């Protein structure tokens, strides 16, 4: 709420968010800063700094419409650029699979979006489920 597109500068963004976890240079020369709020948060922010040094976009990318862009055959780099750093990664050696999870909110519903990779690091499958941590309260 404190950062206005077209007004806030790179310095303003870094003052508000800190140093980005990753910086991606776009084809037009702008840069996208990645600010993951995983594993405890339920958001990942991408902030674009235009070639003029001003913030041109601030996006929360853990949303159903963005998850719909995940397709079989995508590689890990493409997925990271789309969703940001996951909350959790797991390797299942016996199944020859790796799974990345992102925690997110669908309205007020706490969910987990999971992507399964094959042995070549390509997306094999994806799914969104209710957050199991919210379903099992441990006797509360």
């Amino acid at each position: 709420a404190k950062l206005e597109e077209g007004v806030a500068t790179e310095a303003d963004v870094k003052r508000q968010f800190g140093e980005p976890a990753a910086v991606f240079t776009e084809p037009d020369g702008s840069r996208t800063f990645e600010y993951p709020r995983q594993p405890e948060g339920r958001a990942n922010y991408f902030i674009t700094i235009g070639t003029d040094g001003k913030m041109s976009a601030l996006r929360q990318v853990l949303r159903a419409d963005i998850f719909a862009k995940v397709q079989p055959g995508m590689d890990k780099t493409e997925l990271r650029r789309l969703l940001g750093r996951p909350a959790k990664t797991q390797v299942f050696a016996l199944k020859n699979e790796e799974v990345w999870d992102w925690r997110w909110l669908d309205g007020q519903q706490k969910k987990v979006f999971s992507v399964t990779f094959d042995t070549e690091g390509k997306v094999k499958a994806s799914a969104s489920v209710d957050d199991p941590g919210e379903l099992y309260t441990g006797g509360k």
Side-chain angles (χ1 to χ4, degrees):
K2 296 178 182 179
L3 300 174
E4 186 177 337
E5 290 180 6
V7 176
T9 65
E10 178 177 334
D12 296 332
V13 168
K14 287 183 175 179
R15 237 186 328 277
Q16 185 70 29
F17 280 82
E19 287 298 318
V23 177
F24 305 104
T25 302
E26 305 300 342
D28 66 359
S30 63
R31 291 172 297 136
T32 299
F33 292 179
E34 178 188 352
Y35 289 100
R37 297 301 185 241
Q38 303 285 303
E40 296 306 318
R42 296 188 178 272
N44 277 353
Y45 294 100
F46 284 174
I47 299 176
T48 303
I49 305 296
T51 55
D52 62 356
K54 303 245 170 123
M55 183 182 81
S56 60
L58 188 156
R59 304 179 316 279
Q60 196 296 99
V61 296
L62 301 182
R63 309 184 323 245
D65 62 316
I66 304 293
F67 297 144
K69 295 178 182 182
V70 175
Q71 299 297 317
M74 290 175 79
D75 65 29
K76 291 177 181 180
T77 301
E78 291 173 291
L79 197 65
R80 174 73 188 267
R81 282 287 280 125
L82 184 65
L83 301 177
R85 185 173 65 206
K88 178 174 152 186
T89 63
Q90 299 177 88
V91 174
F92 298 95
L94 294 176
K95 292 178 78 176
N96 290 318
E97 293 178 344
E98 184 172 350
V99 177
W100 290 7
D101 293 335
W102 290 263
R103 299 171 74 231
W104 68 290
L105 286 174
D106 186 8
Q108 295 299 313
Q109 184 65 43
K110 294 177 180 176
K111 301 235 179 209
V112 174
F113 181 73
S114 298
V115 175
T116 303
F117 296 96
D118 63 19
T119 55
E120 296 176 9
K122 303 285 185 184
V123 172
K124 183 176 175 180
S126 63
S128 192
V129 298
D130 290 340
D131 188 338
E134 299 298 315
L135 298 175
Y136 306 109
T137 58
K140 291 182 187 176

